[in-house]
Amino acid sequence: IDFFLHPFFLMNDEFVNYIHLPVSCASTKTYANMIITNLSITSCAFVLHLLASNVCIRAETCEDVSGTFDVNYGKSNGKTWLRNCKQIRRKYPHLCNVSAVVLKNCSMSCGQCGNMGNWPSCYDVTESFTLGTKTRSCANAVSNSNLCRKSTTKKNCPISCGICERSFTNCPYPDSYDSYAYSYSNGISSLCCNGLATNCNLRVDEMLFATMHNANHSSEYSPFANHKAPLEDALDVGYRAFFLDICKCNNNDDEDLEVMFCHAYCSVGRRDPTIVFSNIVSWLENNPMELIIFNFEMSHGDPLPTEVWTLMSSVSGMADLVYEHDGGEWPTMGSLIAAGKQIIAFQHNGPQCPGSTGCSSNIPEFFDYTMETNWDYDTVEEVELLPDSCYPTRGGNGARNFYSINNFVTGRYGPSYKAALVLNEKNFVEQRLYHCNKVMNAIPNFINVDYWQQGHVPEAAQEVNLYRGERKQMSE
């Protein structure tokens, strides 16, 4: 049972072919029985039936055609290629964006079936590309829609060309908090929490959050920044936890100290918290079924949690969105959203809280609730080193609600973009989550990365959440 139900086996291509992409929904039970027979695990029958039924409900009539079909793509000079949906899914997902024939024949593999979204192909490339004799980028496609008539631009910039929308959310929003609260209290199944209906039944400490390390330190040009784009943009692709450094620094206009975001030094990664908080509140107001988590590190200048709370309270509407934990069991995502609570805030490296001057009950100590792995890796190989890289170095050794996994390299010259190209890839993230789960016998809750634009971290997190939510539904 553990072998078959493990999320990474369910995401494996061969299992996807066998279970998640049935020839027809009517034959799903036959497939389930076939696997039961092959594995000689008759006790899996009921679980397999539920899994197969769930997939069919999600997919409805959305299927891939069997066999091959002709594809005429780009400058083919009248030639066609024989393709099948397995090839499209594994090697040529971008054809979903530019070929109506592919989209029609491979609707499942092209992500037209509910939560199995078209993540592999729905992203704009970050580097420039050659179009004719000129060098172009996806930013050019936004400003000049005529470029999107070219197949090269469509392939590289499907989002900018309006071909697809990479959305973290796969369920509809209600018109207001009240309508959501009504739906939640009446057990209506079409709820949505952080992008998935199944998330609503998960407690906060059962969720996995795609997380930005040093989220305030972003720059397109600085080689020492942790990210190349601001955290506000990361919200749109599914990052839901943000670890930020808080400092007290001189005001530019006078000698008074003020609280701001920085990265260890006042001149590095400096951003005005009021502006950042205002942007986030505005985003949350437009996305009323999303919940985010902050972890503030009290850094340079010895800022206090009460000072951070004063800043948060000064932003219109923000204090009302913050959930204050009572120390007991963590609530479900659905109950928090129903109550209009969309923010959970923690802090660490500040005064000993609770009980010291400057503590705030709205921003409790992170490591009272969380165990966290080492954060000081010099190479990818050190991150891969098992079991050491999964052991907590802060926050205890197992008796915590949350498990935070650091997945970045900070070498001699600062954050490593080259390492992020490896560490942020979906397969690497999945394997790291899997191994650390086994090592610590604890489910990961935060996967903390640099250079958020690289890889597919939110996708990996969301697939794990989907598995956790569906498994919890089956157990109740």
Side-chain angles (χ1 to χ4, degrees):
I1 294 176
D2 181 66
F3 169 78
F4 179 76
L5 288 182
H6 196 279
F8 304 123
F9 281 107
L10 289 177
M11 286 184 269
N12 178 276
D13 279 341
E14 295 305 319
F15 275 82
V16 167
N17 290 340
Y18 210 29
I19 294 289
H20 280 205
L21 302 179
V23 174
S24 68
C25 284
S27 64
T28 304
K29 191 171 183 180
T30 302
Y31 275 96
N33 289 333
M34 190 185 306
I35 291 182
I36 294 166
T37 302
N38 290 344
L39 296 181
S40 299
I41 307 176
T42 55
S43 58
C44 280
F46 181 64
V47 175
L48 283 170
H49 175 69
L50 287 176
L51 278 171
S53 299
N54 180 276
V55 170
C56 283
I57 291 170
R58 198 187 317 154
E60 296 177 344
T61 58
C62 188
E63 299 177 356
D64 285 351
V65 300
S66 58
T68 58
F69 49 86
D70 292 338
V71 179
N72 187 317
Y73 169 59
K75 297 179 180 180
S76 58
N77 297 320
K79 296 180 180 179
T80 59
W81 292 269
L82 285 177
R83 295 284 183 253
N84 60 48
C85 293
K86 184 176 181 179
Q87 291 174 315
I88 297 300
R89 186 170 66 256
R90 290 185 170 182
K91 294 183 178 181
Y92 309 106
H94 63 273
L95 293 183
C96 296
N97 296 329
V98 295
S99 172
V101 173
V102 170
L103 192 61
K104 177 181 178 181
N105 287 312
C106 304
S107 53
M108 177 69 83
S109 292
C110 284
Q112 303 302 302
C113 307
N115 288 327
M116 298 179 72
N118 187 21
W119 285 87
S121 59
C122 189
Y123 68 93
D124 286 357
V125 298
T126 56
E127 65 273 9
S128 58
F129 54 91
T130 301
L131 189 62
T133 59
K134 296 183 179 181
T135 300
R136 299 291 190 182
S137 69
C138 292
N140 299 135
V142 173
S143 59
N144 183 1
S145 59
N146 288 331
L147 295 178
C148 291
R149 297 178 181 179
K150 304 293 185 180
S151 60
T152 300
T153 312
K154 290 179 181 179
K155 173 182 175 180
N156 289 303
C157 311
I159 296 177
S160 296
C161 288
I163 295 168
C164 68
E165 180 179 354
R166 187 173 181 179
S167 174
F168 184 70
T169 298
N170 292 299
C171 14
Y173 285 149
D175 295 330
S176 66
Y177 287 129
D178 292 339
S179 63
Y180 179 79
Y182 174 82
S183 297
Y184 183 80
S185 63
N186 285 275
I188 298 173
S189 61
S190 59
L191 307 180
C192 190
C193 301
N194 279 29
L196 292 173
T198 48
N199 285 345
C200 295
N201 198 36
L202 292 175
R203 298 191 314 272
V204 176
D205 58 335
E206 294 174 321
M207 288 280 294
L208 175 61
F209 297 89
T211 306
M212 283 181 67
H213 171 237
N214 288 337
N216 53 287
H217 194 188
S218 63
S219 171
E220 185 178 354
Y221 307 104
S222 171
F224 305 108
N226 295 84
H227 307 277
K228 291 184 178 293
L231 65 90
E232 291 92 333
D233 292 347
L235 283 164
D236 291 329
V237 299
Y239 281 86
R240 292 295 177 269
F242 304 92
F243 290 9
L244 305 115
D245 283 12
I246 298 286
C247 304
K248 282 186 76 172
C249 304
N250 288 331
N251 188 296
N252 291 329
D253 299 324
D254 51 52
E255 294 301 316
D256 292 336
L257 296 179
E258 62 179 0
V259 176
M260 62 184 58
F261 292 132
C262 81
H263 187 189
Y265 303 96
C266 288
S267 59
V268 180
R270 183 166 177 156
R271 290 197 66 185
D272 184 339
T274 304
I275 293 175
V276 175
F277 289 150
S278 296
N279 293 339
I280 290 174
V281 169
S282 177
W283 189 91
L284 290 172
E285 288 174 347
N286 291 323
N287 296 272
M289 285 192 285
E290 302 296 314
L291 179 144
I292 66 172
I293 294 180
F294 291 126
N295 176 24
F296 302 119
E297 179 176 345
M298 302 294 111
S299 185
H300 180 84
D302 298 323
L304 297 173
T306 49
E307 295 174 312
V308 178
W309 178 246
T310 298
L311 270 181
M312 295 173 72
S313 301
S314 70
V315 176
S316 178
M318 189 170 194
D320 293 335
L321 297 177
V322 177
Y323 167 70
E324 182 178 348
H325 188 52
D326 60 9
E329 183 177 81
W330 286 90
T332 63
M333 294 286 291
S335 63
L336 285 175
I337 297 295
K341 300 301 181 181
Q342 295 179 264
I343 298 173
I344 296 174
F346 295 102
Q347 61 84 23
H348 68 279
N349 204 38
Q352 186 65 42
C353 293
S356 300
T357 301
C359 294
S360 170
S361 60
N362 297 288
I363 314 177
E365 167 64 43
F366 184 63
F367 293 116
D368 282 351
Y369 295 97
T370 309
M371 57 180 178
E372 184 182 68
T373 66
N374 180 39
W375 54 270
D376 188 18
Y377 300 113
D378 290 324
T379 65
V380 171
E381 289 71 27
E382 288 184 10
V383 179
E384 293 177 308
L385 184 63
L386 294 173
D388 293 9
S389 69
C390 294
Y391 289 147
T393 58
R394 294 190 288 184
N397 191 29
R400 295 291 187 270
N401 301 118
F402 297 94
Y403 181 21
S404 179
I405 296 177
N406 289 318
N407 196 54
F408 52 83
V409 165
T410 303
R412 180 181 300 178
Y413 303 107
S416 172
Y417 179 80
K418 183 178 180 180
L421 296 177
V422 176
L423 299 175
N424 293 9
E425 276 307 308
K426 182 181 173 184
N427 183 64
F428 190 99
V429 170
E430 289 171 350
Q431 292 300 313
R432 182 143 170 73
L433 293 170
Y434 168 71
H435 288 301
C436 288
N437 185 351
K438 292 295 184 182
V439 168
M440 293 304 301
N441 192 28
I443 62 170
N445 302 104
F446 303 101
I447 181 70
N448 198 12
V449 301
D450 285 337
Y451 298 104
W452 66 262
Q453 289 174 294
Q454 303 307 312
H456 300 88
V457 179
E459 178 191 0
Q462 198 69 317
E463 288 187 353
V464 171
N465 286 330
L466 178 62
Y467 166 76
R468 291 178 184 177
E470 290 181 342
R471 188 171 186 178
K472 187 173 183 178
Q473 281 184 342
M474 286 186 281
S475 68
E476 293 180 344

